[in-house]
């Protein structure tokens, strides 16, 4: 019991990732009636925000899951940081809804900053989570080769600067900030992901 | 780690399917009060939409799960297509709610088109998902016999034309489009399903 | 692949049971403000409905799970009936919310009938689900002794008459119908449950 | 079948914990528009309540999961108490939302009392749950050493007095009650947790 494995942590984390992604749909809302067709086209920012957040959560989940496979034991601090990371992921439906409802409207800057800010926080916590486990192979499984750890390092390091840039872009163009976030989820992250050599 | 298995993909997918099906109930809404009994009968389109979507998700989930059993490894592209497929499944509660609230009202055509359009997208992505894995047995497990793959082919191909027809029907009769979708979920899909010889 | 096991069915079912139970909390709603304390006491029907439905789902889930352990294979029909059963379970948050908002108000009879009607449907489907598997040991695992099957029979048969009685009571006293349902979940079901000799 | 293991109980419990934590985000609500930025700062009580409840659920989940590893069999009573415990955990999003919407407003005392009261109930049920299993090693696995049971005792006993104190504080200062609950989740619970010697 001194060095519990990662099973417990994975069950809870998997649940939170899948639920957070699926709750994103609850942020859509339209008034019913004659203009429904028009309104369904008008809410394109909500679709953009939904797709961006869903893909982002899916990829973060896969990175999380893959990285955990190199971790051989967990401690109190690691579990706590993992909890903070999940807290940020589970929070994402709220700023996603803000972007969906406010983009191209008067509140778009605040919405985009809240969205990008959440992603920055998530990237920082994911980095802390990994570095805590990896430093001096603190929690790394004996069987994990150093080359695999370096691959994870390379995949994780761009996260924080990338989302910090999105945060900066949001001051100038909220729409551009969301589009860049979408592009990261659709083009950059899949290619930088770890599942594939 | 070069050819990761399907375990990770299945956990996330199972979660999204079950959650999306269970979230459908949140689309019901009535005003409380003296007329509640009347209102509960009046919202029959919401029941029809609920049952149709729940059965559809249940069957797609089972097909997905069954097909995955023939897949021996995953790659980056496959994981990304799987994510897009889940994104469409998780989106279904929104058009289901639109149908429930607008059928027999002025917005019914837009609602039915949104609903059928989502199903077409889902069918296309499920087909792409399967064909990507199956082409030249790219991701197929060595133990899977060709005859099993052909059975999956036969079960999957009608999806796109079937839902495209529903989309076409929605222009003429939104109600008919939903009823046909219900009939597919209740009668066609179970018989075409793969779980049983 | 001819006689698939119950693993797939259990994953999806477990998810739906746990999610439906947890979604019940979303049916609570109060207006904020100075009278919050008074209002929190005033919504006691919502607490009663919540506790009743949560305990009922918990016990049905455990019976489902236990019974599945005697089932050795599934077929198309069984999967379809299981899907219908889950559809009813996932629907429960809606009538639970109706009871919570309408009990002691003008819509209470309609709300209680909708609630009891859902439970009757659930009991019927659970009975059909079991009888289909059990008749001539159609889907029963070879290792399951007849005595265990008879124990399941005894535990399942009171379900339909019991909830049909609740439905009848709802015509005379909606409150009594909900209280009886609560008593069944809190006192009868646990003692009739299967987990314990 | 006389002494069923804990697998079934764990699946359902894990689901409820993860879903309850993830549903917390649905309690956020703002009006869109020009003042969105201001409003996002103004709802700080909602962030405080969200973080407090998310961390609390995460830690209770981990304690539950860890303690279950010492339990070798379950009986009817234990399953029922576990169900009551989950009912309380699944209820938490409601009082969390009350605190988020009412803190620093006229309903803050009622909101904080509802929140603290739910936590007291949860702590009592978690204690009953453990003591029922532990008394005379009723449900304890043979392999579990007495020293491990004593460690669980020490980790569990402060729960009830701690949250009872929070309840008392809520009469004098609702804000202080929530801040103390946050401090318990962020500082005390992690250090008292069981995962680490």
């Amino acid at each position: 019991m001194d060095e519990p494995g990662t099973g417990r942590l994975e069950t809870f984390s998997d649940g939170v990732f899948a639920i957070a992604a699926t709750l994103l749909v609850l942020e859509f809302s339209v008034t019913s009636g004659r203009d429904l067709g028009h309104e369904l086209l008008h809410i394109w920012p909500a679709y953009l925000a939904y797709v961006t957040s869903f893909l982002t959560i899916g990829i973060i989940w896969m990175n999380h899951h893959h990285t955990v496979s190199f971790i051989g034991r967990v401690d109190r601090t690691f579990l706590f940081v993992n909890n903070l990371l999940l807290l940020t992921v589970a929070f994402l439906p709220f700023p996603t809804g803000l972007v969906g409802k406010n983009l191209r409207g008067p509140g778009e800057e605040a919405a985009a900053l809240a969205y990008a800010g959440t992603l920055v926080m998530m990237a920082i916590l994911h980095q802390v989570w990994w570095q805590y486990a990896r430093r001096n192979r603190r929690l790394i499984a004996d069987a994990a080769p150093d080359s695999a750890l370096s691959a994870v390092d390379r995949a994780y390091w761009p996260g924080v600067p990338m989302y910090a840039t999105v945060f900066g872009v949001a001051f100038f163009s909220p729409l551009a900030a969301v589009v860049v976030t979408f592009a990261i989820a659709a083009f950059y992250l899949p290619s930088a992901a770890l599942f594939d050599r």
Side-chain angles (χ1 to χ4, degrees), chain A:
Chain A
M1 291 291 161
D2 294 350
E3 295 187 345
T6 59
R8 291 187 326 244
L9 174 145
E10 285 178 87
T11 312
F12 191 63
S13 306
D14 282 3
V16 170
F17 280 108
I19 302 159
T22 318
L23 288 184
L24 291 167
V25 75
L26 300 180
E27 299 297 331
F28 287 101
S29 75
V30 291
T31 356
S32 298
R34 192 166 300 281
D35 289 332
L36 182 62
H38 177 73
E39 211 183 333
L40 288 177
L41 300 178
H42 188 68
I43 60 167
W44 63 264
Y47 305 125
L48 175 62
Y50 172 79
V51 172
T52 302
S53 289
F54 196 99
L55 292 180
T56 303
I57 292 179
I59 288 164
I60 291 172
W61 173 78
M62 292 194 282
N63 281 338
H64 184 276
H65 219 82
H66 177 77
T67 307
V68 162
S69 70
F70 300 122
I71 293 179
R73 54 191 170 278
V74 300
D75 66 11
R76 196 151 67 190
T77 308
F78 189 69
L79 286 166
F80 192 72
V81 174
N82 190 66
N83 236 354
L84 288 178
L85 175 59
L86 295 178
L87 186 157
T88 325
V89 172
F91 184 70
L92 204 57
F94 177 56
T96 303
L98 292 178
V99 166
K101 288 182 190 97
N102 290 283
L103 207 61
R104 312 320 276 155
E108 67 173 354
E109 187 181 304
L113 288 173
Y115 190 55
T118 305
L119 292 169
V120 169
M121 192 76 87
M122 198 157 76
I124 291 174
L125 285 164
H126 214 165
Q127 183 66 281
V128 169
W129 179 87
W130 168 241
Q131 290 302 327
Y132 179 80
R134 187 236 198 288
R135 208 51 69 77
N136 303 317
R137 300 182 67 101
R138 189 188 275 125
L139 306 174
I140 301 298
D142 295 340
D146 278 326
S147 63
L149 306 187
S150 304
V152 177
D153 286 344
R154 281 192 304 274
Y156 275 48
W157 86 258
V160 178
M162 222 161 51
Y163 288 119
T165 306
V166 169
F167 190 83
V169 170
F171 282 102
F172 300 98
S173 165
L175 176 58
V178 180
V179 169
V180 171
T181 309
F182 168 75
I184 291 170
F187 305 110
Y188 175 77
L189 283 185
S191 72
L194 297 157
F195 333 106
D196 194 269
R197 50 173 52 264

